[in-house]
């Protein structure tokens, strides 16, 4: 793959991130610096930069003296992640509703998701962007930092929901619309309740799939 030198680490990062999320690089698979360098036709230090960013974002895990590996989330991981995500996002979205303003990035992601719902296609990126933007737009920068630290694992889960067709994108878009309507109406309690229900639906679907395959 031919990339402009200035964009190589970012382009490699984005390509591998998309492949991890859509399960082209499945859970448990390894990514070595030498293999990535060979695949993209770059030097190993360039490949290392991209892999280090994926590790920092939680999309890869790496132990000392071992190759980076796509995380395999167990049942306890999924339960804990979604419980923590529910607490952070419901609180952040409820706080956001107190002001009644929706971040522009969240609106853009929702429009993208509506387009995907009409035409079909991969929705994980738009879904993740929507949630990230809502929390980032809340009044608490600490909630945003906590949420950002979970986003890699959250995106892994959204990718699994997408890859295994566990939720219909039309339903996801409708649930997002309900959250936006509650925020716009300045209704913190309803916005938080809808956020919790939305996250619980995804978590329950993923757990049911996990239980059926393990």
């Amino acid at each position: 793959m031919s990339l402009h030198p200035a964009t190589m680490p970012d382009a490699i990062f984005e390509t591998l991130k998309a492949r991890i999320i859509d399960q082209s690089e499945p859970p448990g698979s390894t990514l070595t610096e030498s293999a990535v360098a060979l695949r993209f036709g770059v030097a190993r230090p360039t490949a290392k930069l991209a892999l280090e960013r994926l590790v920092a974002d939680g999309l890869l895990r790496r132990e000392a003296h071992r190759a980076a590996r796509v995380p395999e989330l167990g049942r306890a991981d999924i339960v804990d992640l979604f419980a923590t995500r529910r607490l952070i996002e419901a609180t952040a979205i409820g706080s956001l509703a107190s002001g009644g303003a929706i971040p522009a990035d969240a609106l853009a992601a929702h429009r993208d998701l509506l387009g995907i719902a009409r035409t079909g296609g991969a929705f994980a990126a738009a879904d993740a962007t929507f949630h990230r933007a809502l929390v980032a737009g809340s009044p608490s920068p600490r909630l945003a930092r906590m949420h950002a630290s979970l986003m890699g694992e959250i995106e892994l889960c959204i990718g699994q929901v997408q890859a295994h067709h566990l939720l219909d994108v039309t339903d996801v878009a409708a649930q997002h619309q309900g959250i936006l309507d509650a925020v716009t109406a300045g209704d913190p309690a309803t916005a938080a309740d809808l956020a919790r229900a939305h996250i619980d639906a995804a978590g329950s679907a993923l757990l049911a799939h996990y239980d059926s395959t393990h």
Side-chain angles (χ1 to χ4, degrees), residues 117-144:
R118 289 191 296 270
T119 62
F123 66 87
D127 191 6
T129 299
F130 176 83
H131 287 275
R132 183 187 292 108
L134 286 182
V135 178
S138 75
S140 171
R142 290 174 177 80
L143 280 177

Side-chain angles (χ1 to χ4, degrees), residues 176-200:
H176 284 191
Q177 185 65 60
I179 293 169
L180 293 179
D181 290 345
V183 171
T184 302
D187 187 344
T190 298
D193 285 344
L194 289 174
R196 280 189 286 265
H198 175 58
I199 292 166
D200 285 345

Side-chain angles (χ1 to χ4, degrees), residues 12 16 32-34 36-37 42-52:
I12 294 170
L16 291 178
T32 65
E33 292 172 14
S34 58
V36 170
V42 298
R44 282 187 63 169
T46 301
K48 181 180 180 182
L49 286 172
L51 291 176
E52 285 177 343

Side-chain angles (χ1 to χ4, degrees), residues 79-168:
V79 170
D80 182 52
L81 175 62
F82 275 86
T84 306
R85 180 187 174 192
R86 183 171 59 247
L87 286 172
I88 293 173
E89 291 197 26
T91 301
I93 291 170
S95 297
L96 185 65
S98 297
I102 299 170
D105 287 350
L107 286 174
H110 184 55
R111 286 193 295 270
D112 289 344
L113 195 65
L114 290 173
I116 293 166
R118 289 191 296 270
T119 62
F123 66 87
D127 191 6
T129 299
F130 176 83
H131 287 275
R132 183 187 292 108
L134 286 182
V135 178
S138 75
S140 171
R142 290 174 177 80
L143 280 177
R145 287 200 296 270
M146 286 189 287
H147 190 253
S149 72
L150 299 175
M151 272 310 301
E153 290 181 314
I154 289 172
E155 288 185 279
L156 288 172
C157 289
I158 292 173
Q160 289 186 42
V161 168
Q162 171 187 281
H164 300 299
H165 308 289
L166 304 182
L167 293 176
D168 189 297

